[in-house]
């Protein structure tokens, strides 16, 4: 017999879990620069959809705009332009009351396992807090919190411990349990395992993958490590300097990267690339990621792209549907089957 889902509350209205849960259209978030008059183009025209029940991975170097997308989805920052729809409704047009409701439905787990936990509260009290804040702390809901603790792999001896008595991995398990207390439909994990040791990362990821199915969650999983993001994601989007370079099903994107930036990330990942492939497709990234206050003209990747042509510095490549559920922004990739460029993948460029 399957155990009932340990939903902490039944007062939140049911959400239809078919189709897309989140749609981001032409999202731009430009911050006021701390110095100088040019804005920081943290996110500069991103469109993607998260399907119900899927884990969507967002990968890219530090500073590429991943966390800003997570924050815009949670409406913790206001978009400069573009739209975010949750369950078909525009987040920007929501009233304060609707937003409060929405915040229950969305939860976010950050990189630092410690900062989200009150050092003066026991683990069980930290887990109960979201229910108390929302006025949902019924005896039945509080009972289910214990069940949640066991679901994240922590036995009852952890109930009355304080955060400083837990390891980083255990604290992040508590943070995940805390994010599930209000029965969310969408979870944003922003570098949630990045601060953990590699072996602990794998344990927490595997535990989370099982919980995700059990809770019927949709997930935006943000990370800078391709192997980690790929391990857990159904589809991935590859960010560079505030824009998406490529998006598609994880296995296909890894097996056949269509964008030179994805190919470069992949060839830098020893664990996911067999040695023979690494030599054949090796693309070395040279130079620093440019400043988002002065992004390069045309294709933002052109100063670092080994395949750049004249058009790349003058014209922004279209965000193109290339078939097979894949999208790419490169002048030379027009279909999933077409050879992108005469020298693409050439060993001479390795
Ligand atoms: N509040 C802010 N004010 C100004 N610039 C910011 C702010 N938050 C982030 N940035 C800048 O926006 C860019 C994108 O940051 P972020 O979204 O955190 O990227 P990532 O998560 O991919 O590392 C970076 O250049 C960062 O320095
Ligand atoms: S558009 Fe040009 S610079 Fe950009 S990825 Fe394609 S080949 Fe490289
Ligand atoms: Mg970040």
């Amino acid at each position: 017999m399957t155990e009932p889902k340990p939903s902490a509350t039944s007062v939140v209205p049911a959400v239809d879990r078919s189709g897309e849960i989140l749609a981001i259209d032409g999202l731009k978030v430009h911050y006021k620069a701390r110095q100088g008059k040019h804005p920081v183009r943290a996110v500069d025209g991103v469109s993607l959809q998260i399907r119900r029940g899927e884990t969507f991975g967002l990968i890219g170097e530090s500073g590429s705009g991943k966390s800003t997308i997570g924050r815009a989805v949670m409406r913790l920052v206001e978009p400069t332009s573009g739209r975010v729809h949750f369950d078909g409704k525009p987040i920007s047009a929501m009233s304060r009351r609707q937003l409060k409701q929405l915040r229950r439905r969305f939860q976010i787990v950050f990189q630092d396992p410690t900062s989200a936990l009150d050092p003066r509260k026991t683990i069980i009290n930290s887990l109960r807090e979201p229910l108390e804040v929302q006025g949902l702390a019924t005896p039945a809901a509080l009972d289910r919190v214990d069940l949640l603790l066991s679901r994240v792999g922590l036995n009852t001896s952890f109930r009355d411990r304080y955060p400083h008595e837990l390891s980083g991995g255990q604290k992040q398990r508590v943070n995940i349990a805390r994010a599930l207390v209000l029965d969310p439909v969408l979870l944003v994990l922003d570098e949630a395992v990045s601060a953990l040791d590699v072996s602990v990362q794998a344990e927490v990821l595997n535990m989370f993958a099982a919980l995700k199915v059990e809770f019927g969650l949709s997930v935006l999983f943000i990370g800078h490590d391709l192997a980690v993001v790929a391990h857990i994601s159904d589809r991935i989007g590859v960010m560079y300097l505030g824009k998406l370079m490529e998006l598609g099903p994880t296995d296909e994107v890894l097996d056949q990267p269509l964008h030179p930036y994805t190919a470069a990330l992949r060839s830098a990942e020893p664990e996911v690339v067999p040695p023979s492939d690494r030599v054949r497709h090796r693309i070395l990234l040279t130079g620093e990621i440019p400043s988002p206050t002065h992004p390069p003209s045309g294709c933002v990747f052109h100063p670092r792209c080994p395949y750049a042509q004249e058009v790349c510095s003058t014209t922004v490549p279209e965000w193109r549907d290339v078939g097979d559920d894949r999208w790419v922004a490169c002048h030379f990739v027009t279909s999933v089957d077409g050879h992108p460029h005469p020298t693409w993948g050439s060993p001479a460029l390795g």
Side-chain angles (χ1 to χ4, degrees):
M1 202 180 85
T2 33
E3 281 193 67
K5 179 181 156 187
S7 159
T9 171
S10 56
V11 297
V12 180
V15 170
D16 172 17
R17 290 178 196 260
S18 62
E20 288 166 10
I21 190 72
L22 191 87
I24 298 174
D25 290 308
L27 179 69
K28 292 189 181 184
V29 181
H30 295 177
Y31 296 111
K32 197 171 176 304
R34 291 179 188 110
Q35 288 169 343
K37 59 182 185 336
H38 294 279
V40 181
R41 295 163 179 257
V43 177
D44 210 17
V46 163
S47 299
L48 62 90
Q49 292 81 39
I50 299 182
R51 299 169 184 161
R52 286 171 211 273
E54 85 166 338
T55 299
F56 186 93
L58 207 49
I59 168 88
E61 285 169 282
S62 172
S64 55
K66 307 179 298 296
S67 294
T68 301
I69 290 183
R71 286 200 283 271
V73 164
M74 305 287 297
R75 207 172 146 187
L76 300 172
V77 293
E78 291 296 329
T80 306
S81 61
R83 283 166 200 267
V84 180
H85 281 80
F86 172 70
D87 205 24
K89 298 174 204 75
I91 289 179
S92 55
M94 284 183 185
S95 65
R96 200 183 274 263
R97 199 170 145 269
Q98 285 171 315
L99 204 57
K100 192 172 169 221
Q101 181 86 340
L102 180 79
R103 290 245 161 85
R104 264 189 234 159
R105 291 300 197 178
F106 287 15
Q107 294 292 320
I108 189 160
V109 178
F110 294 105
Q111 175 167 351
D112 180 358
T114 304
S115 63
L117 295 174
D118 185 337
R120 295 158 304 174
K121 283 202 164 120
T122 59
I123 299 307
I124 195 70
N125 284 338
S126 277
L127 290 177
R128 288 173 168 180
E129 191 186 26
L131 289 169
E132 283 154 2
V133 169
Q134 296 279 349
L136 300 171
T138 61
L142 293 175
D143 279 352
R144 283 192 291 264
V145 170
D146 284 306
L147 193 55
L148 266 176
L149 197 59
S150 70
R151 280 290 197 282
V152 296
L154 299 176
N155 63 36
T156 47
S157 75
F158 284 90
R159 291 179 92 254
D160 301 316
R161 294 195 203 174
Y162 288 89
H164 75 268
E165 297 175 275
L166 272 60
S167 69
Q170 288 164 344
K171 276 186 269 201
Q172 209 58 321
R173 286 169 189 265
V174 174
N175 284 320
I176 290 169
R178 199 167 186 266
L180 296 176
V181 161
L182 293 174
D183 198 19
V185 281
L186 182 81
L187 216 58
V188 177
L189 298 189
D190 188 355
E191 306 273 4
V193 296
S194 304
L196 309 178
D197 292 344
V198 174
S199 62
V200 181
Q201 277 190 5
E203 281 172 25
V204 174
L205 281 181
N206 291 338
M207 175 215 77
F208 180 73
L211 275 178
K212 188 214 116 181
V213 175
E214 183 181 335
F215 281 72
L217 295 168
S218 308
V219 180
L220 174 58
F221 188 91
I222 296 173
H224 66 276
D225 183 326
L226 182 58
V228 169
V229 177
H231 180 72
I232 192 145
S233 302
D234 301 300
R235 292 187 300 146
I236 52 173
V238 181
M239 294 271 302
Y240 183 81
L241 213 54
K243 291 182 190 288
L244 276 170
M245 299 287 105
E246 173 157 13
L247 186 157
T250 305
D251 291 346
E252 280 87 328
V253 172
L254 291 187
D255 288 349
Q256 186 204 10
L258 295 174
H259 194 284
Y261 180 60
T262 318
L265 285 181
R266 187 176 176 276
S267 56
E269 283 286 331
E271 282 166 54
V272 293
V273 185
S276 54
D277 255 17
R278 236 180 287 152
V279 175
R280 196 161 57 85
H281 292 301
R282 196 169 186 95
I283 298 179
L284 293 179
L285 273 185
T286 54
E288 291 292 306
I289 186 166
S291 165
T293 54
H294 294 85
S297 58
C299 172
V300 287
F301 187 54
H302 87 259
R304 297 172 85 192
C305 181
Y307 307 106
Q309 306 287 308
E310 209 177 322
V311 64
C312 302
S313 59
T314 56
T315 310
V316 178
E318 188 188 329
W319 180 234
R320 195 181 274 133
D321 177 351
V322 293
D324 288 357
D325 205 17
R326 298 185 65 173
W327 292 73
V328 183
C330 172
H331 290 301
F332 302 105
V333 184
T334 51
S335 88
V336 76
D337 301 316
H339 202 279
H341 185 265
T343 55
W344 222 255
S346 158
L349 287 161

